[in-house]
Amino acid sequence: MTRTTPQPADTFVSRAPATGEVLADHPVHGPRETTRAVDRGREAQARWAALPAAGRRALLLRWKRRLADELDAVAGTVAAETGKPRQDAELEVLLALGHLDWAARNAGRVLGRRRVRTGLVAADQAASLVYRPLGVVGVLGPWNYPVYTPMGSIGYALAAGNAVVFKPSEYTPGTGVLLAESFDAAVPAHAGLFGVVTGAGGTGEALARSGVDKVAFTGSPGTARKVMAVCAERLTPFLAECGGKDAVIVTADADLDAAADAIVWGAMSNAGQTCAGVERVYVVREVHAALCRRVVERARALRPGAGPDASYGPMTMPAQVAVVERHVAQALAGGARAELAPPDHREGPFVSPVVLADVPEDSAAMTEETFGPVVAVNAVADVAEAVRRANASRYALGAAVFCGSRRTGARIAARLRAGAVSVDSVLGFAAVPALPFGGSGDSGFGRIHGADGLRAFAAPQSVTVRRFAAPFDLTSFRTPAAAKARAVALVRGLHRRR
């Protein structure tokens, strides 16, 4: 049990998604307990913000090293709560460590005071810009990547000088509790700076109403709108990452084996429960059949299950199974072709790989986030049609391009509306901490990761200091009108000549 808040009377249980086995009891934190966690964080944040950037860096790196030492325990908890294979959980934790390391090491450089040129009219001023911490950041995390995804907010917010109160998904509460306990153990002098509250939607609403200085959310667009409405009551800043319907474009000269490998991994890993995973593929018609064969061959070899040899695990959220089955059934009823059909009988929460072709563009399988091991591979006449279809989605998170020429692939990537694009790989951007991550439309707004991610959890403050008395003071009533007129004529003339 975390020391963040007193335990309330109400509790809930977390379960292993593959078996339904009870893993642990957790408290349902309501408004009072959530406010206490925020108040405790605010008190701790004052001491944390007073540290020099180098001091925060050293302490965050100490926490990172402790998490690396505890990788087995953290990955074990992730695997138990999500059902994903142990190696997948370990990879997730390693990626999160990379982001925490980058945020800790770069916050001082990105957010430190820097001089700014003043221009001609303000030549008498010295100008500088600095980024100040916001205060307490509320983080509402997802269940599909319960360490990697929220760490993109938690680590960057802490590095920027803030406190964090984290509400993990009700499906993965133990992971959130373990992260907070690890921080307190690594940095005991700042215990409470990173707190956790557990519960379902009511706890998330309580956190959004608690007076935090920003809310960072990951989840569905529908839930994001509800949280955003609560934040609007106090004009609380809001950052939203709401998933995607990511597309892959494959040109006629692409390496089809490499494309098929990447498509199957991007679509099926983590049981397809990846916000920037592959859901749509647009391939030039002349190589469509060849690509489909390769995708089906690789997808058919995958085996979902709970054992150590499983390719991927169960659907973590039980209700998502029905969404996947509805999307596939509607696509087939609308004229799609099953290159790899779903089995007649499903084994519990495990969904076998499905590969569809000729899927109508207006079907749910092409317009809504499926979030399961399903991929649609549609033929297009040319790259221009592929780009047009990829951009037609109301989501705009990630994308990928496979092309015989890296230079041409980069040009195609520049035409895509997605917030992040990989050429000749999928999700390549997710492993680069310096790159910002986020989307637009129903994929949300704002950015985590990279310098933009650090600035997302800081407030810019502009400062000017007058260096000398200007010959023509344009901000004084005492300056004669004739002198002001000469100044205006001088500056106007300079702009005309430049």
Side-chain angles (χ1 to χ4, degrees), residues 37-43 45 134-138 162-165 193 207 211-215:
V38 172
D39 290 344
R40 187 181 182 206
R42 198 171 298 284
E43 180 180 348
Q45 189 270 336
L134 297 173
V136 181
V137 175
N162 302 284
V164 170
V165 177
L193 183 74
L207 182 57
V212 292
D213 300 288
K214 187 164 188 172
V215 172

Side-chain angles (χ1 to χ4, degrees), residues 120-140:
L120 184 62
V121 173
D124 60 322
Q125 303 284 340
S128 63
L129 173 65
V130 68
Y131 290 85
R132 303 175 62 187
L134 297 173
V136 181
V137 175
V139 177
L140 302 177

